[in-house]
Coordinates of all heavy atoms in Angstrom, one line a residue:
M198 N 197.7 376.5 122.1 CA 197.7 377.1 120.9 C 196.7 378.3 120.6 O 196.9 379.3 119.9 CB 197.4 376.2 119.7 CG 198.4 375.0 119.6 SD 197.9 373.6 118.4 CE 197.6 374.5 117.0
T199 N 195.6 378.2 121.4 CA 194.6 379.2 121.4 C 194.9 380.4 122.4 O 194.6 381.5 122.1 CB 193.2 378.6 121.8 OG1 193.0 377.4 120.9 CG2 192.1 379.6 121.5
L200 N 195.3 380.1 123.7 CA 195.5 381.0 124.7 C 196.8 381.1 125.2 O 197.1 381.7 126.3 CB 194.6 380.8 126.0 CG 193.0 380.5 125.4 CD1 192.2 380.0 126.7 CD2 192.3 381.8 124.9
G201 N 197.9 380.7 124.6 CA 199.2 380.5 125.1 C 200.1 381.6 125.0 O 201.2 381.6 125.4
S202 N 199.7 382.7 124.4 CA 200.5 384.0 124.4 C 199.6 385.2 124.6 O 198.5 385.2 124.4 CB 201.3 384.0 123.0 OG 200.4 384.3 122.0
R203 N 200.3 386.4 124.9 CA 199.6 387.5 125.1 C 199.1 388.1 123.9 O 197.9 388.8 123.9 CB 200.6 388.5 125.9 CG 201.1 388.1 127.1 CD 201.7 389.2 127.9 NE 202.2 388.7 129.2 CZ 201.5 388.5 130.4 NH1 200.3 388.8 130.2 NH2 202.1 388.0 131.5
D204 N 199.6 387.9 122.8 CA 199.0 388.4 121.5 C 197.7 387.6 121.2 O 196.8 388.3 120.7 CB 200.0 388.1 120.4 CG 201.3 388.9 120.5 OD1 201.3 389.9 121.2 OD2 202.3 388.5 119.9
K205 N 197.6 386.4 121.6 CA 196.4 385.6 121.4 C 195.2 386.1 122.3 O 194.0 385.7 122.1 CB 196.6 384.2 121.4 CG 197.5 383.7 120.3 CD 197.9 382.2 120.5 CE 199.0 381.8 119.5 NZ 199.4 380.3 119.7
L206 N 195.6 386.8 123.4 CA 194.6 387.1 124.3 C 194.1 388.6 124.3 O 193.2 388.9 125.1 CB 195.3 386.9 125.8 CG 195.7 385.6 126.2 CD1 196.4 385.5 127.6 CD2 194.4 384.6 126.2
K207 N 194.5 389.2 123.2 CA 194.2 390.6 123.1 C 192.6 390.8 122.9 O 191.9 391.8 123.3 CB 194.8 391.3 121.9 CG 196.4 391.5 122.1 CD 197.0 392.1 120.9 CE 198.5 392.3 121.1 NZ 199.2 392.9 120.0
D208 N 192.0 389.8 122.1 CA 190.6 389.9 121.8 C 189.8 389.0 122.8 O 188.7 388.5 122.6 CB 190.3 389.5 120.4 CG 191.0 388.1 120.1 OD1 191.7 387.6 120.8 OD2 190.5 387.6 118.9
C209 N 190.4 388.5 123.9 CA 189.7 387.7 125.0 C 189.7 388.4 126.2 O 190.5 388.1 127.1 CB 190.5 386.3 125.0 SG 190.4 385.2 123.6
Q210 N 188.8 389.4 126.4 CA 188.8 390.2 127.5 C 187.8 389.6 128.6 O 188.0 390.2 129.8 CB 188.3 391.7 127.2 CG 189.2 392.3 126.1 CD 190.6 392.5 126.6 OE1 190.7 392.8 127.7 NE2 191.5 392.3 125.6
G211 N 187.2 388.8 128.5 CA 186.3 388.0 129.5 C 186.0 386.6 129.3 O 186.5 386.0 128.3
L212 N 185.0 386.2 130.1 CA 184.7 384.8 130.0 C 184.0 384.4 128.6 O 184.4 383.4 127.9 CB 183.7 384.3 131.0 CG 183.3 382.9 131.3 CD1 183.1 382.6 132.8 CD2 182.0 382.7 130.6
V213 N 183.1 385.3 128.1 CA 182.4 384.9 126.9 C 183.3 384.9 125.8 O 183.2 384.0 124.9 CB 181.3 386.0 126.7 CG1 180.5 385.7 125.4 CG2 180.3 386.0 127.9
E214 N 184.2 385.8 125.6 CA 185.1 385.9 124.5 C 186.1 384.8 124.5 O 186.4 384.2 123.5 CB 185.9 387.2 124.6 CG 185.0 388.5 124.3 CD 184.3 389.1 125.6 OE1 184.6 388.3 126.6 OE2 183.6 389.9 125.5
T215 N 186.5 384.3 125.6 CA 187.3 383.3 125.9 C 186.7 381.9 125.3 O 187.3 381.1 124.5 CB 187.8 383.0 127.2 OG1 188.5 384.2 127.6 CG2 188.8 381.8 127.4
L216 N 185.5 381.7 125.8 CA 184.7 380.6 125.4 C 184.4 380.5 123.8 O 184.5 379.5 123.2 CB 183.4 380.4 126.2 CG 183.6 380.1 127.6 CD1 182.2 380.0 128.3 CD2 184.3 378.7 127.9
E217 N 184.2 381.6 123.3 CA 183.9 381.8 121.9 C 185.2 381.4 121.1 O 185.1 380.8 120.0 CB 183.4 383.3 121.6 CG 183.0 383.4 120.2 CD 181.7 382.6 119.9 OE1 180.9 382.3 120.9 OE2 181.3 382.4 118.8
K218 N 186.3 381.9 121.6 CA 187.5 381.5 120.9 C 187.9 380.0 121.0 O 188.3 379.4 119.9 CB 188.7 382.3 121.4 CG 189.9 382.3 120.6 CD 191.0 383.4 121.0 CE 192.1 383.5 120.0 NZ 192.9 384.6 120.3
L219 N 187.6 379.4 122.1 CA 187.8 377.9 122.2 C 186.9 377.2 121.4 O 187.2 376.1 121.1 CB 187.7 377.6 123.7 CG 188.9 378.0 124.6 CD1 188.5 377.7 126.1 CD2 190.2 377.5 124.2
R220 N 185.8 377.7 121.1 CA 184.8 376.9 120.4 C 185.0 377.2 118.8 O 184.3 376.4 118.0 CB 183.4 377.3 120.7 CG 182.9 376.9 122.1 CD 181.6 377.5 122.5 NE 181.3 377.1 123.8 CZ 180.4 377.8 124.7 NH1 179.8 378.8 124.2 NH2 180.2 377.4 125.8
N221 N 185.8 378.1 118.4 CA 186.1 378.4 117.0 C 187.5 378.5 116.9 O 188.1 379.5 116.4 CB 185.3 379.8 116.6 CG 183.7 379.7 116.8 OD1 183.1 379.2 116.0 ND2 183.3 380.2 117.8
I222 N 188.2 377.4 117.0 CA 189.6 377.3 116.7 C 189.9 377.2 115.3 O 189.3 376.5 114.6 CB 190.2 376.0 117.4 CG1 189.9 376.1 119.0 CG2 191.7 376.0 117.2 CD1 190.3 374.8 119.7
P223 N 190.8 378.2 114.8 CA 191.1 378.1 113.3 C 191.5 376.8 112.8 O 192.2 376.0 113.5 CB 192.3 379.2 113.2 CG 192.1 380.0 114.4 CD 191.6 379.2 115.4
Q224 N 191.0 376.4 111.7 CA 191.2 375.1 111.1 C 192.8 374.9 110.8 O 193.3 373.8 110.8 CB 190.5 374.9 109.8 CG 189.0 374.8 109.9 CD 188.6 373.4 110.7 OE1 189.0 372.4 110.3 NE2 187.7 373.7 111.7
R225 N 193.5 375.9 110.5 CA 195.0 375.8 110.3 C 195.6 375.1 111.5 O 196.7 374.6 111.4 CB 195.6 377.1 109.8 CG 195.6 378.1 110.9 CD 196.2 379.5 110.3 NE 196.4 380.4 111.3 CZ 195.4 381.4 111.7 NH1 194.2 381.2 111.0 NH2 195.7 382.3 112.5
W226 N 195.1 375.3 112.8 CA 195.8 374.9 113.9 C 195.4 373.5 114.2 O 195.9 372.8 115.1 CB 195.4 375.8 115.1 CG 196.0 377.2 115.0 CD1 196.9 377.6 114.0 CD2 195.7 378.3 115.9 NE1 197.2 378.9 114.3 CE2 196.4 379.4 115.4 CE3 194.9 378.5 116.9 CZ2 196.4 380.6 116.0 CZ3 194.7 379.7 117.6 CH2 195.5 380.8 117.0
L227 N 194.3 373.0 113.4 CA 193.8 371.7 113.8 C 194.3 370.6 112.7 O 193.7 369.6 112.7 CB 192.3 371.6 113.8 CG 191.7 372.7 114.8 CD1 190.2 372.6 114.7 CD2 192.1 372.3 116.2
Q228 N 195.2 370.9 111.8 CA 195.7 370.0 110.8 C 196.4 368.8 111.4 O 197.0 369.0 112.5 CB 196.5 370.6 109.8 CG 195.9 371.7 109.0 CD 194.7 371.2 108.3 OE1 194.7 370.3 107.7 NE2 193.6 372.0 108.5
D229 N 196.3 367.6 110.9 CA 196.8 366.4 111.6 C 198.3 366.5 111.8 O 198.8 366.1 112.9 CB 196.4 365.2 110.8 CG 196.9 365.2 109.4 OD1 196.9 366.2 108.8 OD2 197.3 364.1 108.9
T230 N 199.0 367.0 110.8 CA 200.5 367.0 110.9 C 201.0 367.8 112.2 O 201.9 367.5 113.0 CB 201.2 367.4 109.8 OG1 200.6 368.7 109.3 CG2 200.9 366.4 108.6
L231 N 200.3 369.0 112.3 CA 200.7 369.9 113.4 C 200.3 369.4 114.7 O 201.0 369.3 115.7 CB 200.0 371.3 113.2 CG 200.2 372.3 114.2 CD1 201.7 372.7 114.3 CD2 199.4 373.6 113.9
I232 N 199.0 368.9 114.7 CA 198.4 368.4 116.1 C 199.2 367.1 116.6 O 199.6 367.2 117.8 CB 196.9 368.0 116.0 CG1 196.1 369.3 115.8 CG2 196.4 367.3 117.1 CD1 196.0 370.1 117.2
I233 N 199.5 366.3 115.7 CA 200.2 365.0 116.1 C 201.6 365.4 116.6 O 202.1 364.9 117.5 CB 200.2 364.0 114.9 CG1 198.7 363.6 114.5 CG2 201.1 362.8 115.4 CD1 197.9 363.1 115.7
H234 N 202.3 366.3 115.9 CA 203.6 366.7 116.3 C 203.6 367.4 117.7 O 204.4 367.0 118.4 CB 204.2 367.7 115.2 CG 205.5 368.3 115.7 ND1 206.7 367.5 115.7 CD2 205.8 369.6 116.2 CE1 207.6 368.4 116.1 NE2 207.2 369.5 116.5
E235 N 202.7 368.3 117.9 CA 202.5 368.9 119.3 C 202.3 367.9 120.3 O 202.8 368.0 121.4 CB 201.5 370.0 119.2 CG 201.8 371.2 118.3 CD 203.0 371.9 118.8 OE1 203.2 371.9 120.1 OE2 203.8 372.5 118.1
I236 N 201.4 367.0 120.0 CA 201.0 365.8 121.0 C 202.2 365.1 121.4 O 202.6 364.8 122.5 CB 199.9 365.0 120.5 CG1 198.5 365.7 120.3 CG2 199.6 363.8 121.4 CD1 197.4 365.0 119.7
S237 N 203.1 364.7 120.4 CA 204.2 364.0 120.6 C 205.2 364.6 121.4 O 206.0 364.0 122.1 CB 204.7 363.4 119.3 OG 203.8 362.8 118.6
E238 N 205.3 365.9 121.2 CA 206.3 366.7 121.9 C 206.1 367.0 123.3 O 206.8 367.4 124.2 CB 206.7 368.0 121.1 CG 207.3 367.8 119.8 CD 208.7 367.2 120.0 OE1 209.4 367.6 120.9 OE2 209.1 366.3 119.0
L239 N 204.7 367.0 123.7 CA 204.2 367.4 125.0 C 204.6 366.4 126.1 O 204.3 365.2 125.8 CB 202.7 367.5 125.0 CG 202.1 368.4 126.1 CD1 202.7 369.8 126.2 CD2 200.6 368.3 126.1
Q240 N 205.4 366.9 127.1 CA 205.8 366.0 128.1 C 204.9 365.7 129.2 O 205.0 366.2 130.4 CB 207.2 366.5 128.6 CG 208.3 366.6 127.6 CD 208.7 365.3 127.0 OE1 208.7 364.3 127.8 NE2 208.9 365.2 125.7
I241 N 203.7 365.1 128.9 CA 202.7 364.7 130.0 C 202.6 363.3 129.9 O 202.1 362.6 128.9 CB 201.3 365.4 129.7 CG1 201.6 367.1 129.9 CG2 200.2 365.0 130.6 CD1 202.0 367.4 131.2
S242 N 202.9 362.6 130.9 CA 202.7 361.1 131.1 C 201.5 360.6 131.9 O 200.8 361.5 132.5 CB 204.1 360.6 131.6 OG 204.2 361.0 133.0
E243 N 201.3 359.3 131.9 CA 200.3 358.8 132.7 C 200.5 359.1 134.2 O 199.6 359.4 135.0 CB 200.2 357.3 132.6 CG 199.8 356.8 131.2 CD 200.9 356.7 130.3 OE1 202.0 356.9 130.7 OE2 200.8 355.9 129.3
G244 N 201.9 359.1 134.6 CA 202.2 359.4 136.0 C 201.8 360.7 136.5 O 201.3 361.0 137.6
D245 N 201.9 361.7 135.4 CA 201.6 363.1 135.8 C 200.1 363.2 136.0 O 199.7 363.8 137.0 CB 201.9 364.1 134.7 CG 203.5 364.2 134.5 OD1 204.2 364.1 135.5 OD2 203.9 364.2 133.4
I246 N 199.4 362.6 135.2 CA 197.9 362.6 135.3 C 197.4 361.8 136.6 O 196.6 362.3 137.3 CB 197.2 361.9 134.1 CG1 197.6 362.7 132.8 CG2 195.8 361.7 134.2 CD1 197.2 362.1 131.6
E247 N 198.0 360.7 136.9 CA 197.6 360.0 138.1 C 198.1 360.6 139.4 O 197.3 360.8 140.4 CB 198.3 358.6 138.1 CG 197.8 357.7 136.9 CD 198.5 356.4 136.8 OE1 199.5 356.2 137.5 OE2 198.2 355.6 135.9
R248 N 199.1 361.4 139.3 CA 199.5 362.1 140.6 C 198.5 363.3 140.8 O 198.2 363.6 141.9 CB 201.0 362.6 140.5 CG 202.1 361.7 140.8 CD 203.4 362.4 140.9 NE 203.8 362.9 139.6 CZ 204.5 362.3 138.7 NH1 204.8 361.0 138.8 NH2 204.9 362.9 137.5
E249 N 198.2 364.0 139.7 CA 197.2 365.0 140.0 C 195.9 364.7 140.3 O 195.3 365.3 141.1 CB 197.2 365.9 138.6 CG 198.4 366.7 138.3 CD 198.8 367.7 139.1 OE1 198.0 368.1 140.0 OE2 200.0 368.2 139.2
T250 N 195.5 363.5 139.8 CA 194.2 362.9 140.1 C 194.2 362.5 141.5 O 193.3 362.8 142.2 CB 193.9 361.6 139.1 OG1 193.9 362.1 137.9 CG2 192.5 361.1 139.5
S251 N 195.2 361.8 142.0 CA 195.4 361.4 143.4 C 195.4 362.6 144.4 O 194.7 362.6 145.4 CB 196.6 360.5 143.6 OG 196.8 360.2 145.0
H252 N 196.1 363.7 144.0 CA 196.1 365.0 144.8 C 194.8 365.6 144.9 O 194.3 366.0 146.0 CB 197.1 365.8 144.2 CG 197.3 367.1 145.0 ND1 198.0 367.2 146.2 CD2 196.7 368.4 144.8 CE1 197.8 368.5 146.6 NE2 197.2 369.2 145.9
Y253 N 194.0 365.6 143.8 CA 192.7 366.2 143.9 C 191.7 365.3 144.6 O 190.9 365.9 145.3 CB 192.1 366.3 142.4 CG 190.7 367.0 142.4 CD1 190.6 368.4 142.6 CD2 189.7 366.2 142.1 CE1 189.4 368.9 142.5 CE2 188.4 366.8 142.1 CZ 188.3 368.2 142.1 OH 187.0 368.7 142.3
L254 N 191.7 364.0 144.5 CA 190.8 363.1 145.1 C 191.0 363.1 146.7 O 190.1 362.8 147.4 CB 191.0 361.7 144.5 CG 190.5 361.5 143.1 CD1 190.7 360.0 142.7 CD2 189.0 362.0 143.0
K255 N 192.2 363.5 147.1 CA 192.5 363.4 148.6 C 191.7 364.6 149.2 O 191.3 364.5 150.4 CB 194.0 363.7 148.8 CG 194.8 362.5 148.6 CD 196.2 362.8 148.9 CE 197.1 361.6 148.6 NZ 198.6 361.9 148.8
K256 N 191.3 365.6 148.5 CA 190.6 366.7 149.0 C 189.1 366.4 148.9 O 188.2 366.8 149.9 CB 190.7 368.0 148.1 CG 192.2 368.5 148.1 CD 192.4 369.7 147.3 CE 193.9 370.2 147.4 NZ 194.0 371.5 146.5
G257 N 188.6 365.8 147.9 CA 187.1 365.6 147.6 C 186.7 364.2 147.8 O 185.6 363.8 147.6
G258 N 187.5 363.2 148.4 CA 187.1 361.9 148.6 C 187.5 360.9 147.4 O 188.1 361.3 146.5

Side-chain angles (χ1 to χ4, degrees):
M198 294 171 61
T199 309
L200 309 172
S202 66
R203 299 192 181 277
D204 294 337
K205 298 173 182 177
L206 297 177
K207 290 180 179 179
D208 54 349
C209 296
Q210 301 301 321
L212 183 146
V213 176
E214 294 82 4
T215 301
L216 292 178
E217 189 67 21
K218 191 163 187 175
L219 289 174
R220 291 169 183 160
N221 297 279
I222 302 175
Q224 290 294 309
R225 67 179 183 276
W226 295 350
L227 302 179
Q228 299 305 312
D229 59 323
T230 53
L231 176 61
I232 288 287
I233 299 303
H234 173 74
E235 293 293 331
I236 293 173
S237 303
E238 293 294 323
L239 195 61
Q240 299 299 319
I241 295 295
S242 64
E243 297 94 343
D245 297 326
I246 297 172
E247 291 170 2
R248 278 193 298 271
E249 294 294 346
T250 302
S251 177
H252 180 77
Y253 180 79
L254 293 180
K255 287 179 181 178
K256 299 180 179 180

